[in-house]
């Protein structure tokens, strides 16, 4: 399955071209397609800590008894990580406003960065513990 923008340019695919036998979303990431590559200045933990998780129920008719869901509210995500929020007119129903949506998968690089930051902190703390232990010996 190929997803294209308005001029026919392929923007992403749903395929099973990875090592998994199951279909996944894939988007181009080839270094040869990019320029001005540099380490990110994003502090992953800051972004993750700013995201608010909410419990909610949808307003749809007939869902009064539905269990609460846990997830994001698009308006709350805009301040923490605007790149994960989009706005669509007419796509999600007949509303008199454009509906905001979130793309949680855009957080994967941020989460990896946050894990790297935690790993660096953990290594520094372990090194400090080793230093203190050696001084006490």
């Amino acid at each position: 399955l190929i997803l294209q923008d308005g001029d026919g340019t392929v923007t992403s695919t749903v395929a099973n071209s990875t090592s998994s036998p199951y279909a996944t979303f894939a988007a181009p990431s080839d270094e040869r397609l990019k320029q001005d590559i540099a380490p990110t200045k994003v502090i992953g933990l800051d972004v993750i800590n700013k995201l608010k998780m909410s419990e909610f129920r949808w307003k749809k008719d007939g869902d009064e008894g539905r269990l609460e869901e846990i997830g994001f509210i698009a308006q709350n995500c805009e301040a923490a990580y605007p790149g994960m929020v989009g706005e669509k007119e007419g796509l999600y129903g007949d509303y008199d406003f454009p509906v905001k949506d979130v793309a949680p998968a855009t957080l994967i690089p941020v989460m990896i960065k946050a894990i790297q930051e935690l790993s660096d902190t953990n290594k520094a703390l372990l090194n400090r513990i080793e230093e203190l232990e050696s001084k006490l010996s």
Side-chain angles (χ1 to χ4, degrees), residues 4-5 12 20 23 25 32-33 38 48 53 55 62 74 77 79 83 90 95-96 98 102 104 109 113 119 125 129:
Q4 300 174 324
D5 66 12
S12 57
S20 170
F25 278 99
R32 297 168 293 182
L33 302 176
I48 297 301
M53 297 303 299
E55 292 182 357
C77 295
Y95 296 100
D96 60 353
V102 295
K113 181 71 164 56
S119 177
L125 290 171
I129 289 170

Side-chain angles (χ1 to χ4, degrees), residues 54-96:
S54 298
E55 292 182 357
F56 56 88
R57 287 195 293 199
W58 294 100
K59 291 182 177 180
K60 290 188 204 174
D61 293 338
D63 281 348
E64 294 85 9
R66 188 172 173 182
L67 295 175
E68 289 182 347
E69 290 189 34
I70 297 171
F72 296 116
I73 306 299
Q75 287 81 349
N76 294 340
C77 295
E78 285 179 306
Y81 197 62
M84 73 182 287
V85 180
E87 199 169 76
K88 310 290 187 302
E89 185 108 31
L91 182 64
Y92 295 111
D94 189 23
Y95 296 100
D96 60 353

